[in-house]
Amino acid sequence: LLHPYVHSFKNSLNLTMFGWVLFLLLLSIVAATGHAAGQQNNLPPNISSSSQPIFTKNELDEHNLVWKVIKKACFGKWSGTLQNFRMDKATNSPIYNDNDEEPLLNFRLWAKAAKAKDTGTWTVWNVQRKGDEIIVPLRRLPVSSKPSQLKIGFLPGCVLRIPGNYKQVPRAVMELGYWGNVRRTVVLEYQPHDKQKRMELKDVTLVMQKPVPWYNKGMFFVGNTTVARDIQILPRKAVSNLEDVIKRNKARKPIKIERVQLQSMQRVVTTKADLKNDDKRGAAEVLESLLHRLSNNNECAANSSSSYDVVLPNGLLACFPKELSGKSSSSATKTFIFAHEWKHFWGQTLQALVIDFDVASGDIITATMYSYK
């Protein structure tokens, strides 16, 4: 007779206990939320509790594009060499190491993705001395929404690394690489020269590598080693015939223009069908200026020139300032031009990357890639 009441009492007791447990659980959640909100409110205004930086859509698009270019063109095993030299202001020509007999090192690289798709590693050997190894982490997204060094990519295989503002870094380092059947990279370093902090060109580093053949990509690739024939890929001095370079390229016509406004990270791509007369005229002026400056690069013009205009030993056509400086009230810009001739089975194309810095603020303004055929 008592069983139904006992059963009912147990049920009511269970419901009561369940209610108290639920109430206490909700109370703890409210308390924790309030505590977290209080902590958030107590944070200094320049500190966020979020561990991930916030990017605009334009920034995300650019980070995704350069990561795509790196995966497509840079990942893999590469072998070649690098050389370092200074530039002579009086002659606009490279000054190589006095000891020309000093052997170049076999600079080797293995760039690959990690298990996490948005990260990777960049391992290099024989950079400073034979046998050294340096591992650099790669990330699709930078750890800061405003990194001091910007990475910009252009298909099929151009990667630019450049300071967002050259006045806000102790030394301004610009790195540009064209990756294809051969890797051609130039690194420029500018350092403060005097009390006025004139950023003068310190030195130039060139890299030239070729991808390791497919039959050597497995167990046969050893980073910490030397392959003598791979060192020969980069000549000690430029061997390109300048007259041939000018003849090949002077009649080229623009087929695409990509312009990135670096402060807003906004990219505008104009293909051949949409090029206006002003676009064609501007692209023609860029190419004409590049070839004209290269052809006039002689000792007579060197002293009056504010830039080095050279065909680099790794085959890149380059025009870059002797120094990054100017009066604070100046509205002038400093311009870099790096061009590369791509060889395809259907012919040759030329890409010329033009980079503009504002002298007064030190900000990088635009990076514009002109493609010609």
Side-chain angles (χ1 to χ4, degrees):
L1 294 176
L2 295 178
H3 177 71
Y5 300 100
V6 173
H7 182 68
S8 175
F9 174 75
K10 285 184 178 180
N11 286 340
S12 63
L13 182 62
N14 289 339
L15 288 174
T16 303
M17 292 180 64
F18 175 77
W20 275 105
V21 170
L22 180 61
F23 173 76
L24 292 175
L25 179 61
L26 291 174
L27 186 64
S28 64
I29 293 175
V30 171
T33 304
H35 180 67
Q39 283 190 330
Q40 179 70 23
N41 293 333
N42 291 332
L43 287 175
N46 62 336
I47 297 178
S48 172
S49 62
S50 174
S51 59
Q52 295 295 328
I54 299 175
F55 300 100
T56 66
K57 181 182 182 303
N58 289 342
E59 290 170 340
L60 280 175
D61 289 344
E62 288 303 316
H63 294 319
N64 290 336
L65 177 57
V66 73
W67 186 248
K68 177 181 178 180
V69 175
I70 289 174
K71 290 197 299 182
K72 176 182 176 63
C74 307
F75 278 4
K77 302 179 178 72
W78 299 78
S79 181
T81 190
L82 60 83
Q83 64 180 204
N84 181 270
F85 55 82
R86 295 176 294 111
M87 294 295 294
D88 187 350
K89 279 188 175 182
T91 63
N92 273 12
S93 58
I95 303 175
Y96 297 94
N97 194 313
D98 292 336
N99 183 10
D100 288 336
E101 300 302 321
E102 181 180 344
L104 296 175
L105 296 174
N106 179 203
F107 176 46
R108 298 167 73 79
L109 162 68
W110 187 358
K112 59 182 177 178
K115 290 183 179 179
K117 294 181 179 180
D118 291 346
T119 61
T121 55
W122 189 285
T123 307
V124 294
W125 295 268
N126 306 333
V127 178
Q128 298 175 343
R129 63 183 183 276
K130 184 177 178 180
D132 64 3
E133 178 183 294
I134 301 173
I135 301 176
V136 180
L138 291 173
R139 297 172 56 93
R140 179 177 66 89
L141 296 176
V143 294
S144 168
S145 59
K146 298 296 180 183
S148 60
Q149 291 286 120
L150 303 176
K151 289 190 181 73
I152 306 296
F154 298 91
L155 292 169
C158 177
V159 178
L160 171 68
R161 182 173 63 91
I162 195 168
N165 184 302
Y166 71 82
K167 292 185 177 181
Q168 296 178 359
V169 291
R171 59 190 182 94
V173 178
M174 175 187 298
E175 179 179 358
L176 174 74
Y178 284 101
W179 301 70
N181 295 329
V182 176
R183 174 196 178 189
R184 293 175 170 89
T185 297
V186 56
V187 182
L188 307 177
E189 181 176 345
Y190 290 83
Q191 286 190 342
H193 181 67
D194 51 26
K195 292 182 179 179
Q196 282 73 38
K197 294 186 177 180
R198 289 186 300 121
M199 301 288 279
E200 283 200 350
L201 181 70
K202 176 179 177 286
D203 56 26
V204 179
T205 301
L206 298 182
V207 174
M208 196 166 181
Q209 293 176 308
K210 60 182 180 180
V212 175
W214 63 269
Y215 51 80
N216 247 354
K217 287 188 176 181
M219 59 183 294
F220 300 106
F221 179 84
V222 179
N224 184 9
T225 189
T226 294
V227 179
R229 66 175 180 274
D230 292 348
I231 299 175
Q232 306 304 317
I233 189 174
L234 179 61
R236 280 284 188 172
K237 299 181 180 180
V239 295
S240 267
N241 187 328
L242 185 56
E243 292 182 359
D244 291 341
V245 171
I246 295 174
K247 183 178 180 180
R248 284 197 306 269
N249 294 291
K250 67 179 182 180
R252 294 192 185 278
K253 303 298 181 183
I255 56 174
K256 187 167 75 168
I257 300 175
E258 291 185 75
R259 179 172 287 110
V260 184
Q261 299 286 345
L262 272 301
Q263 296 306 309
S264 63
M265 284 294 189
Q266 182 177 7
R267 180 180 295 241
V268 177
V269 180
T270 309
T271 58
K272 183 179 180 179
D274 297 323
L275 290 174
K276 307 298 183 184
N277 288 334
D278 287 346
D279 298 324
K280 297 176 182 178
R281 187 163 43 249
E285 289 174 355
V286 168
L287 182 58
E288 182 181 353
S289 173
L290 170 64
L291 299 180
H292 176 74
R293 290 164 66 175
L294 292 175
S295 63
N296 283 340
N297 181 32
N298 53 56
E299 190 167 349
C300 295
N303 290 324
S304 61
S305 174
S306 61
S307 66
Y308 297 110
D309 311 311
V310 294
V311 178
L312 296 170
N314 64 357
L316 294 181
L317 315 179
C319 301
F320 47 93
K322 293 181 178 179
E323 62 179 51
L324 298 175
S325 64
K327 296 180 180 179
S328 58
S329 60
S330 172
S331 59
T333 59
K334 292 290 185 178
T335 301
F336 298 76
I337 305 177
F338 300 99
H340 170 54
E341 297 176 274
W342 293 95
K343 293 183 179 180
H344 313 280
F345 66 88
W346 65 85
Q348 286 188 341
T349 57
L350 177 79
Q351 279 191 316
L353 180 60
V354 180
I355 306 154
D356 289 319
F357 275 96
D358 180 71
V359 171
S361 65
D363 286 337
I364 181 173
I365 308 172
T366 56
T368 307
M369 179 67 83
Y370 296 89
S371 299
Y372 304 86
K373 187 176 180 181

